[in-house]
Amino acid sequence: MGVRLMVVDDHRLLAEALASALKLRGHRVLAAAAPAAGAADLVVSRAPEVCLLGTATPAEPGMFDPVAKIRRERPQTAVLVLGPVPSPRGIAAAFAAGACGYVRHDERIEGVERAIMKARAGEAAVAPALLQSAFHALLNPVEQPDDEGQRLLGMLTPREIEVLVRVAEGEDTRSIAAGMGIAPSTARTHVQRVLMKLGVGSRLEAAALAARTGLLERAGSYRSAAPGPGTIERG
């Protein structure tokens, strides 16, 4: 007997292709749409037996709020998360929000269908190894901040952090090079890498982002003592 389904994913083509494949296997797919602010409300109003809900970033804070809303307002709907190769924290977050399973985007249609049948039966639809790691992450949460400033800081090398601090203080490329005892070309390369990693297009944007997220306060200890003027780091 077919399952009454909904497929919701960021990539409309993926959602529609998966919906079509499931229809061919005898399931009734109620909708296939890109997620938006009202995605959870749509699922609640349509009341499918199982919802396949796509996500591109399983560990992003708030990513599974729609799952929690669906489970709170329509507890009889089983929610399967569709996503990339997950981290234990991503799996844990999905289950903590109320999902009953996790299906990778690259799973074969047979695997997706098996997960759907398990979900409808009230079983956990996830590989045992992933489930074990998720429970471990839930029972042993990491005791460290997970805010944007900390995340950005972790993307930069100590040298790049020092460059960012100097950029935020208004130093130009020549001043950065002189202060750090490196060649101007090397300083320019460091600046470009910082902008790229932060996802901004200018030094002003980088400085504003660093100030807004508290990154500068965290980065203060990274400003190293400048080497003597006779020591030049070549890029």
Side-chain angles (χ1 to χ4, degrees):
M1 180 178 176
V3 180
R4 196 168 68 255
L5 296 167
M6 281 190 70
V7 180
V8 183
D9 195 275
D10 276 325
H11 300 89
R12 183 175 294 275
L13 287 177
L14 173 63
E16 292 178 351
L18 181 54
S20 296
L22 290 169
K23 285 179 181 177
L24 290 174
R25 299 178 80 87
H27 301 289
R28 181 185 171 194
V29 183
L30 300 182
D41 292 329
L42 180 61
V43 174
V44 170
S45 66
R46 292 295 187 88
E49 294 177 273
V50 179
C51 171
L52 287 161
L53 186 66
T55 177
T57 52
E60 191 75 17
M63 182 56 62
F64 298 117
D65 288 351
V67 177
K69 181 172 184 177
I70 293 167
R71 294 297 294 157
R72 183 173 60 251
E73 300 186 18
R74 184 67 65 173
Q76 58 269 50
T77 294
V79 181
L80 280 173
V81 174
L82 273 173
V85 178
S87 67
R89 290 182 65 194
I91 289 285
F95 274 92
C100 66
Y102 192 104
V103 180
R104 284 172 45 171
H105 276 144
D106 59 357
E107 180 63 79
R108 297 174 63 88
I109 189 63
E110 293 84 3
V112 175
E113 188 172 39
R114 281 195 299 271
I116 289 169
M117 302 310 291
K118 283 186 175 183
R120 185 173 68 169
E123 302 175 24
V126 64
L130 291 178
L131 188 60
Q132 184 178 11
S133 66
F135 284 149
H136 178 79
L138 281 171
L139 295 173
N140 302 279
V142 179
E143 296 293 338
Q144 64 182 24
D146 193 26
D147 57 76
E148 188 179 6
Q150 186 68 28
R151 179 181 66 82
L152 294 174
L153 195 64
M155 296 168 58
L156 304 175
T157 67
R159 203 64 158 164
E160 290 165 349
I161 292 170
E162 182 177 355
V163 168
L164 176 60
V165 172
R166 291 178 180 275
V167 165
E169 291 176 352
E171 294 187 16
D172 59 18
T173 301
R174 191 168 297 278
S175 298
I176 293 172
M180 296 177 66
I182 60 178
S185 60
T186 302
R188 192 174 299 107
T189 297
H190 282 319
V191 170
Q192 289 304 315
R193 285 177 179 167
V194 168
L195 299 183
M196 180 183 67
K197 288 185 177 182
L198 296 182
V200 297
S202 70
R203 298 181 184 214
L204 183 60
E205 289 181 71
L209 178 63
R212 177 174 60 80
T213 60
L215 196 156
L216 290 178
E217 288 76 10
R218 299 175 186 274
S221 61
Y222 283 89
R223 181 151 185 173
S224 60
T231 303
I232 298 293
E233 176 187 323
R234 297 293 176 186

